[in-house]
Amino acid sequence: MARIWNFSAGPATLPVSALERAQKEMLDWAGTGMSIMETSHRSKEYDQVHNEAADSFRQLLKLDDDFTVLFLQGGASQQFAVLPMNFLPAGGSADYVNTGVWSKKALAEAKVLGNAREAGTAGPDFTSVVRKDGLDLDPNAAYVHFTSNNTIKGTQYYEIPDCGSTPLVCDMSSDFLWQPFDANRFHMIYAGAQKNIGPAGVTVVLLRKSWLEKANQDIPTIFKYGIHAENNSLYNTPPTFAIYIVRNVLDWVKAEGGLEAMERRNREKGDLLYSAIEAHGDFYRCPVEKGSRSFMNVVFRLPTEELEAKFVAEAKAAGLSGLKGHRSVGGCRASIYNAMEKAGVQALVDFMEGFAKTNG
Amino acid sequence: MARIWNFSAGPATLPVSALERAQKEMLDWAGTGMSIMETSHRSKEYDQVHNEAADSFRQLLKLDDDFTVLFLQGGASQQFAVLPMNFLPAGGSADYVNTGVWSKKALAEAKVLGNAREAGTAGPDFTSVVRKDGLDLDPNAAYVHFTSNNTIKGTQYYEIPDCGSTPLVCDMSSDFLWQPFDANRFHMIYAGAQKNIGPAGVTVVLLRKSWLEKANQDIPTIFKYGIHAENNSLYNTPPTFAIYIVRNVLDWVKAEGGLEAMERRNREKGDLLYSAIEAHGDFYRCPVEKGSRSFMNVVFRLPTEELEAKFVAEAKAAGLSGLKGHRSVGGCRASIYNAMEKAGVQALVDFMEGFAKTNG
């Protein structure tokens, strides 16, 4: 087996133990004589996996009893529409904090469905998050929506600002579970799995059941959060294999020591990489303001685009994959989610030092 | 490895070759040093798998150039809503042929969004399909919707009736690719993968691009078929691993000899099982009319519910799993999709004969 270091922004690297478990059980899992992919979602065997995954979120985040844990489909992009379908009331309005492209997409979908407004922006450059003093909140908003981490620009909230009593909703797709945090402050948290917690194809939604009383009822059944909550995400066939992998990933998180261990690991990796960039400040440059620099997606530039292309190609040849920046902004980007080992970041830093020496 | 015979209605048994391939490549596929689950959906390596899967549908069904092949999420249940969101015009109406619970759910979602009517019904018993003379079609309908196979009642259309020039839409989730058929008659075909073509978590939609000119534009972007068509199902992150498994399953279909081979295989299995039921007509009974009996889901009753429970339990102990009928109707059901081997059906028939002898 020749594994490389995979710095892709998502789908992204997964814990080897989660994959090995899936490999071992692929044709016969838990003594059932079949793959979990072939197992009925109505069986008691599958039910156990499904509930283990949900319970792990509850445990890791110390969720209070008002929360339901849903496994849905369609990625965060689908939640951009399903959230306002459920919680943007006729005649009401919702606030969206604009920290970049994903926030903008969420706002645009809400505007198709009702009234929504930009409640602060990090534009035009999006090289920082929007802090409390940059927020322009409507006290009557149905909810206020944040995006915790911007994969493209490499910015991250270390803590979501206080917004008073307005229900707080957050898209945490790209940094969910990167550190301990007070999930009970939120009315809803959602995350496409394919960055920090599993494969593409499942979206985790943590939602206050008490909020469901306010949900719109004149929408298709399949898009009602309430229906999925009542049916423990088994109203229709869920993406069983993707949920199984999420279960495996969460078991790995717990075995590593939980969210405290994730934070320690992530801060070590981020500090190592940002320090290397600073140490070669004549060659590498991070355009993101200190205090908003993401511990998940580290973006950096080289002196020229030619050198950036050369860097990405030579890194790939050296077993360091996925370092090209998002096509909309160029440059370089190292995504170092929970599952990236410190040894991978060390290998990248070593490569960067050599590359700067040769090409600087 | 101790594989059992899995007669589950879905998620269902898959070709062993498709699973073995996934097992072998789980930690390092195609020499990339990573799992396909960890691979960027924007990479050329993933792109090849994605396009191979789409091209296999084109080849197997001889689709004309007007068709786009989409990989979406949310199962057929989501298409129940997304179809009318796109193609039920304001002030217009759509026709739904009612062959049972899935048809009813599709109709109910359409009614949330606009005008839709029942254009014929197989109720109250749903022990047959609705034939041409039972249809009550609106010549001005935006489309007419069929469900080709009813997993719960065990009925199946061997051919969808002619409906003149009204755009024909069909939910083929539970019998897609079971035999060759003229896909070019349809404006849209959709299928959740987890019965005949792959794992839960991906929905295949075959759609006439020329129909997109009539699509509603005032809906959220994520639900626009046109956006997914323009972006080759890469507008947002697709369920990459599920699509990879579909690719593997379609490679197996082609290696077996294509849809002609599937039909031969499926008719042999169905004939074998229905003959066994008929041969023990004093003990087993199929409530479905001849001419509507499904080659995918064979439902049958025993003299008492007690015997049915005993049958299901003893069959499971004998390595024949998933034979309990749907919870809404009771009885027994053997789902024998494409991937079920003839040897599995033979083992079931042998068991049935022994059980009838002992308990009859």
Side-chain angles (χ1 to χ4, degrees):
Chain A
M1 187 185 75
R3 297 270 295 174
I4 50 88
W5 296 114
N6 176 8
F7 295 94
S8 173
T13 195
L14 290 166
V16 169
S17 64
L19 294 172
E20 283 176 341
R21 197 168 170 183
Q23 182 176 46
K24 183 158 172 267
E25 301 178 341
M26 181 57 75
L27 281 98
D28 178 15
W29 77 282
T32 61
M34 61 181 85
S35 169
I36 180 133
M37 259 185 279
E38 303 172 296
T39 304
S40 171
H41 58 299
R42 307 282 175 205
S43 65
K44 65 178 194 311
E45 292 88 353
Y46 172 71
D47 222 39
Q48 192 179 331
V49 169
H50 190 89
N51 291 330
E52 275 178 22
D55 288 345
S56 286
F57 286 112
R58 288 180 212 283
Q59 290 162 25
L60 287 166
L61 292 168
K62 303 180 178 68
L63 295 179
D64 68 40
D65 290 344
D66 190 27
F67 271 98
T68 181
V69 178
L70 305 180
F71 298 112
L72 303 178
Q73 295 184 60
S77 295
Q78 182 159 321
Q79 296 310 309
F80 296 166
V82 176
L83 165 66
M85 285 168 86
N86 279 270
F87 290 118
L88 185 51
S93 177
D95 275 358
Y96 282 74
V97 181
N98 182 4
T99 49
V101 63
W102 303 111
S103 310
K104 279 190 243 186
K105 287 193 172 196
L107 173 59
E109 292 289 50
K111 282 184 170 175
V112 173
L113 295 155
N115 297 320
R117 56 190 282 282
E118 186 179 272
T121 178
D125 292 334
F126 299 101
T127 53
S128 73
V129 296
V130 182
R131 299 195 192 288
K132 177 105 178 158
D133 59 7
L135 295 178
D136 162 33
L137 297 174
D138 169 5
N140 297 314
Y143 57 85
V144 54
H145 179 279
F146 284 87
T147 313
S148 56
N149 182 78
N150 180 335
T151 51
I152 295 175
K153 291 286 189 170
T155 64
Q156 185 179 27
Y157 277 106
Y158 307 144
E159 189 172 352
I160 301 296
D162 178 24
C163 295
S165 61
T166 307
L168 207 51
V169 176
C170 193
D171 172 4
M172 294 194 184
S173 294
S174 52
D175 68 353
F176 194 38
L177 306 192
W178 85 280
Q179 66 167 2
F181 69 100
D182 184 5
N184 294 315
R185 288 176 58 207
F186 294 83
H187 269 56
M188 178 170 140
I189 292 167
Y190 64 98
Q194 69 270 16
K195 280 107 168 36
N196 235 2
I197 55 170
V202 60
T203 314
V204 177
V205 175
L206 312 180
L207 178 67
R208 289 210 164 274
K209 287 179 275 188
S210 54
W211 203 24
L212 287 169
E213 289 162 23
K214 292 202 178 176
N216 299 320
Q217 292 306 314
D218 56 345
I219 63 173
T221 309
I222 190 71
F223 298 129
K224 289 182 177 174
Y225 289 127
I227 285 286
H228 294 293
E230 279 168 31
N231 289 281
N232 189 26
S233 306
L234 292 162
Y235 167 71
N236 64 327
T237 315
T240 50
F241 187 77
I243 294 168
Y244 159 83
I245 296 287
V246 168
R247 192 278 311 256
N248 291 358
V249 171
L250 297 182
D251 278 358
W252 169 82
V253 170
K254 292 193 282 187
E256 288 287 308
L259 300 189
E260 290 75 13
M262 290 299 114
E263 177 171 20
R264 212 157 43 233
R265 197 180 152 90
N266 287 324
R267 288 197 181 272
E268 276 178 16
K269 291 183 293 179
D271 289 344
L272 182 60
L273 188 45
Y274 284 116
S275 297
I277 292 168
E278 298 289 321
H280 300 82
D282 51 339
F283 192 77
Y284 299 110
R285 182 175 56 82
C286 172
V288 181
E289 278 182 21
K290 284 179 189 178
S292 291
R293 290 183 175 179
S294 172
F295 282 86
M296 299 287 103
N297 311 96
V298 177
V299 303
F300 53 97
R301 306 297 311 230
L302 274 66
T304 66
E305 289 185 12
E306 289 68 30
L307 278 170
E308 287 168 347
K310 190 180 179 202
F311 177 90
V312 169
E314 289 188 10
K316 183 158 190 190
L320 305 160
S321 167
L323 288 164
K324 197 173 168 183
H326 190 270
R327 61 199 186 288
S328 65
V329 294
C332 299
R333 170 175 59 175
S335 295
I336 53 173
Y337 300 116
N338 283 0
M340 171 58 68
E341 299 289 336
K342 192 179 172 191
V345 177
Q346 186 62 59
L348 172 59
V349 164
D350 292 346
F351 175 82
M352 287 171 75
E353 286 175 353
F355 191 87
K357 213 168 282 175
T358 311
N359 297 277
Chain B
M1 187 184 76
R3 297 270 295 173
I4 50 87
W5 296 115
N6 176 8
F7 295 94
S8 172
T13 195
L14 290 166
V16 169
S17 65
L19 294 172
E20 284 176 340
R21 197 168 169 184
Q23 183 175 46
K24 183 158 174 265
E25 301 178 341
M26 182 56 76
L27 282 97
D28 178 15
W29 77 283
T32 60
M34 61 180 85
S35 170
I36 180 134
M37 260 187 278
E38 303 173 296
T39 304
S40 171
H41 58 298
R42 307 280 176 207
S43 66
K44 68 178 191 310
E45 291 89 354
Y46 172 71
D47 221 39
Q48 192 180 331
V49 169
H50 190 88
N51 291 329
E52 275 177 20
D55 288 345
S56 286
F57 286 112
R58 287 181 214 285
Q59 290 161 25
L60 287 165
L61 292 167
K62 303 181 178 67
L63 296 179
D64 68 40
D65 290 345
D66 190 29
F67 270 98
T68 182
V69 178
L70 305 180
F71 298 112
L72 304 179
Q73 295 185 60
S77 295
Q78 182 160 319
Q79 296 310 309
F80 296 167
V82 176
L83 166 66
M85 285 168 86
N86 279 269
F87 290 118
L88 185 51
S93 177
D95 275 358
Y96 282 73
V97 180
N98 181 3
T99 49
V101 63
W102 303 112
S103 311
K104 278 190 243 186
K105 287 193 173 195
L107 174 58
E109 291 289 51
K111 281 184 168 173
V112 173
L113 295 155
N115 298 320
R117 56 190 282 283
E118 187 180 270
T121 178
D125 292 334
F126 299 102
T127 53
S128 72
V129 296
V130 182
R131 300 196 190 287
K132 177 105 178 158
D133 60 8
L135 295 177
D136 163 33
L137 298 174
D138 170 5
N140 298 314
Y143 57 84
V144 54
H145 179 278
F146 284 86
T147 313
S148 56
N149 182 78
N150 181 334
T151 51
I152 295 176
K153 292 286 188 169
T155 64
Q156 185 179 27
Y157 278 107
Y158 307 146
E159 187 171 353
I160 301 296
D162 178 23
C163 294
S165 61
T166 307
L168 207 52
V169 176
C170 192
D171 172 4
M172 294 193 185
S173 294
S174 53
D175 69 351
F176 194 37
L177 305 192
W178 84 280
Q179 66 167 1
F181 69 100
D182 184 5
N184 294 315
R185 288 176 57 207
F186 294 83
H187 270 56
M188 178 170 140
I189 292 167
Y190 64 98
Q194 68 270 16
K195 280 106 169 38
N196 235 2
I197 55 170
V202 61
T203 314
V204 177
V205 176
L206 312 180
L207 178 67
R208 290 210 163 275
K209 286 180 276 188
S210 54
W211 204 23
L212 288 168
E213 289 162 22
K214 293 202 176 174
N216 299 320
Q217 293 306 313
D218 56 344
I219 63 172
T221 308
I222 191 71
F223 298 128
K224 289 183 177 173
Y225 289 127
I227 284 286
H228 295 292
E230 278 167 30
N231 290 280
N232 188 27
S233 306
L234 292 162
Y235 168 70
N236 64 327
T237 315
T240 51
F241 187 77
I243 294 168
Y244 159 82
I245 296 288
V246 168
R247 192 278 310 257
N248 291 359
V249 171
L250 297 182
D251 278 358
W252 169 82
V253 170
K254 292 194 282 187
E256 288 288 307
L259 300 190
E260 291 75 12
M262 290 299 115
E263 177 171 20
R264 210 157 43 232
R265 196 180 152 91
N266 287 324
R267 289 197 180 272
E268 276 178 15
K269 292 183 293 178
D271 289 345
L272 182 60
L273 188 45
Y274 283 116
S275 297
I277 293 168
E278 298 289 321
H280 299 83
D282 51 338
F283 193 76
Y284 299 110
R285 183 175 54 83
C286 172
V288 182
E289 278 182 22
K290 285 179 187 176
S292 291
R293 290 183 174 179
S294 173
F295 282 87
M296 300 286 102
N297 311 97
V298 178
V299 304
F300 54 97
R301 305 298 311 232
L302 273 64
T304 66
E305 289 186 10
E306 289 67 31
L307 278 170
E308 287 169 347
K310 191 180 178 203
F311 177 90
V312 169
E314 290 189 9
K316 183 159 189 189
L320 305 160
S321 167
L323 287 165
K324 196 172 169 183
H326 191 270
R327 62 199 186 286
S328 65
V329 294
C332 299
R333 171 176 57 175
S335 296
I336 52 173
Y337 301 115
N338 283 359
M340 172 57 69
E341 298 289 336
K342 192 179 170 189
V345 177
Q346 187 61 59
L348 172 59
V349 164
D350 292 347
F351 176 82
M352 287 170 75
E353 286 174 355
F355 191 86
K357 213 168 282 176
T358 312
N359 298 276

